[in-house]
Amino acid sequence: QVQLQESGPGVVKPSETLSLNCTVSGDSVIPHYWSWFRQPPGKGLELIGYIYYTGDTNYNPSLKSRVTFSVDMSKNQFSLALTSVTAADTAVYYCARESPGKVGAADYWGQGTLVTVSS
Amino acid sequence: QSALTQPASVSGSPGQSITITCTGTSSDVGRYNYVSWYQHRPGKAPKLIIYDVNQRPSGVSYRFSGAKSGNTASLTISGLQAEDEATYHCCSFAGANTYVVFGGGTHLTVL
């Protein structure tokens, strides 16, 4: 059974970098696309972007200047870094696997981790 | 404000059917047959229940069905059960640059 688990600090100070890891079990990061989503309090889900196991990325245009994804095949995990955070980046962050061969459908998700931007 | 519009809440009694709508534009829902729906219970991982407008992943109950007409997609849950109480998110492909957009989510209460 494929499982994803997000990990990282629950609180990040304004202007600093938010860093999260997503560890995959029950599957290999190869040869899939992996995504990051977030859901601010009281709002809908938002795609942050996705990364292919080769390292190819596609970021949400609204976040592109501040976000970087990476994949570590040796640890079977992928990561998110979001720089210069503000209160607007407070959200539950989810990692997910894009369903193979399908468009815009993520078939496995992590439970999510709440990240609060606060001094 | 989300790109797709969903009602904030719906409710129904056990055994009844309910339909949740998801309204987009001619740039997303109306243009592509790549609408998906997710069931999300508090503290749990979102679960894919519909993809490609009306396809169910393996293991998802036949009680869940999807459809689309013009710029509006819909999710119907028949034979409501208590376990269906959750928030339902719609999602649509919106082109290679944006990739996907979401609705604000609809909370389903089973009375």
Side-chain angles (χ1 to χ4, degrees):
Chain A
Q1 182 181 356
V2 181
Q3 292 185 312
L4 289 79
Q5 180 66 58
E6 304 89 352
S7 60
V11 180
V12 181
K13 290 182 169 56
S15 80
E16 295 191 345
T17 296
L18 181 163
S19 296
L20 294 174
N21 294 321
C22 181
T23 301
V24 181
S25 58
D27 193 9
S28 169
V29 293
I30 304 169
H32 298 294
Y33 286 90
W34 303 93
S35 298
W36 286 99
F37 299 86
R38 67 180 185 178
Q39 185 173 22
K43 297 186 178 181
L45 286 163
E46 175 185 38
L47 173 70
I48 301 171
Y50 60 83
I51 183 168
Y52 195 42
Y53 76 99
T54 57
D56 290 341
T57 56
N58 192 342
Y59 301 128
N60 184 323
S62 68
L63 298 168
K64 188 173 184 176
S65 64
R66 297 194 292 129
V67 68
T68 303
F69 294 162
S70 59
V71 172
D72 188 333
M73 288 183 272
S74 67
K75 294 181 179 179
N76 213 41
Q77 70 180 201
F78 57 104
S79 302
L80 156 72
L82 182 66
T83 63
S84 305
V85 297
T86 69
D89 295 308
T90 292
V92 177
Y93 286 76
Y94 298 92
C95 58
R97 188 187 83 168
E98 292 297 309
S99 187
K102 299 181 180 62
V103 175
D107 57 0
Y108 290 100
W109 294 62
Q111 290 189 331
T113 185
L114 174 62
V115 179
T116 302
V117 178
S118 173
S119 55
Chain B
Q1 186 170 348
S2 299
L4 307 179
T5 301
Q6 298 180 237
S9 62
V10 297
S11 62
S13 299
Q16 287 186 331
S17 295
I18 62 95
T19 297
I20 299 172
T21 57
C22 171
T23 301
T25 70
S26 57
S27 297
D28 39 63
V29 175
R31 185 167 185 175
Y32 303 101
N33 288 324
Y34 296 128
V35 176
S36 54
W37 290 87
Y38 298 91
Q39 178 190 63
H40 193 190
R41 297 189 179 97
K44 301 290 187 181
K47 177 184 178 182
L48 178 67
I49 55 172
I50 294 288
Y51 67 93
D52 291 356
V53 175
N54 57 16
Q55 301 299 302
R56 283 189 307 276
S58 175
V60 172
S61 173
Y62 69 93
R63 298 185 300 104
F64 295 91
S65 61
K68 190 185 87 167
S69 177
N71 295 337
T72 298
S74 59
L75 171 71
T76 297
I77 308 173
S78 60
L80 271 180
Q81 300 179 0
E83 67 194 44
D84 298 331
E85 189 160 298
T87 296
Y88 292 84
H89 301 274
C90 68
C91 174
S92 175
F93 182 72
N97 194 37
T98 304
Y99 196 59
V100 294
V101 290
F102 285 89
T106 299
H107 185 256
L108 168 63
T109 299
V110 180
L111 302 170

